[in-house]
């Protein structure tokens, strides 16, 4: 066969395979971000916008949330708290975002600014009518924030 006689379908990558490739790429970016001290020459932060878009894709959301947690910058942490507060998401997805936020804060420190922190308190205060699961999730986020903003205990005087 001549090359011109080959059909495009013979070279097309099936959608399932493309999704697997995208997930693998995001997982590797997450690995590079998590071990940024080992791989300092990779600018993984450039991939944040990809992760933000991938969060909306059912097949990529889990990997994207992990990547955002590994990046740990202010935008990623705020997005993770927004995802954990998204009422249209399943509790499992919301919990995954809250866990990624906690891991991010543990790894990189709290990057949220005052307005974003106040927004979390407002969300918790507005959750009076929410289910106990949701209230617990919002409290978990506040606990993570408070561990970073609470003043350290002073040593007792002698």
């Amino acid at each position: 066969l001549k090359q011109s006689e080959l059909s495009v379908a013979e070279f097309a990558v099936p959608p399932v395979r493309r999704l697997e490739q995208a997930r693998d790429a995001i997982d590797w970016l997450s690995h590079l971000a998590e071990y940024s001290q080992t791989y300092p020459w990779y600018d993984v932060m450039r991939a944040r916008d990809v992760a933000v878009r991938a969060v909306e894709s059912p097949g990529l959301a889990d990997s994207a949330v992990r990547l955002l947690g590994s990046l740990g910058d202010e935008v990623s942490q705020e997005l993770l708290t927004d995802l954990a507060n998204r009422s249209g998401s399943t509790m499992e997805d919301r919990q995954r975002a809250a866990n990624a936020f906690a891991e991010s804060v543990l790894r990189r420190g709290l990057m949220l600014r005052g307005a974003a922190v106040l927004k979390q308190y407002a969300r918790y205060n507005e959750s009076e009518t929410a289910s106990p699961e949701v209230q617990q999730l919002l409290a978990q986020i506040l606990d993570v924030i408070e561990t970073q903003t609470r003043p350290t205990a002073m040593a007792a005087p002698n």
Side-chain angles (χ1 to χ4, degrees):
L1 286 175
K2 294 180 187 175
Q3 188 168 357
S4 62
E5 294 174 358
L6 297 175
S7 71
V8 173
E10 293 178 89
F11 295 102
V13 178
V16 171
R17 181 66 184 129
R18 290 176 63 94
L19 185 65
E20 290 171 358
Q21 291 171 338
R23 190 178 314 112
D24 289 346
I26 292 171
D27 288 342
W28 274 108
L29 287 167
S30 183
H31 176 81
L32 292 173
E34 188 175 341
Y35 295 99
S36 60
Q37 299 297 325
T38 306
Y39 307 107
W41 51 88
Y42 289 108
D43 181 13
V44 184
M45 198 58 71
R46 295 182 327 175
R48 184 183 62 216
D49 292 340
V50 171
V52 169
R53 288 192 307 273
V55 161
E56 301 301 328
S57 175
L60 301 175
D62 294 349
S63 293
V65 165
R66 273 194 307 278
L67 175 55
L68 290 169
S70 295
L71 292 175
D73 67 312
E74 179 184 352
V75 173
S76 299
Q77 287 186 2
E78 189 166 358
L79 181 60
L80 289 169
T81 60
D82 289 346
L83 291 171
N85 282 279
R86 190 181 282 179
S87 60
S89 297
T90 65
M91 265 318 282
E92 182 180 337
D93 289 342
R94 293 173 76 172
Q95 186 65 58
R96 189 177 353 269
N99 291 345
F101 170 71
E103 190 66 33
S104 172
V105 170
L106 182 66
R107 184 176 297 122
R108 309 267 186 205
L110 183 66
M111 298 296 176
L112 296 179
R113 304 258 185 238
V117 171
L118 292 175
K119 185 163 102 175
Q120 284 307 120
Y121 279 98
R123 286 172 167 166
Y124 178 78
N125 291 335
E126 293 168 1
S127 71
E128 289 177 356
T129 59
S131 70
E133 286 179 305
V134 170
Q135 290 178 350
Q136 184 178 4
L137 179 78
L138 297 176
Q140 174 189 342
I141 292 170
L142 288 182
D143 287 346
V144 170
I145 290 170
E146 288 178 352
T147 61
Q148 299 295 306
T149 58
R150 191 176 304 140
T152 57
M154 296 183 69
N158 289 333

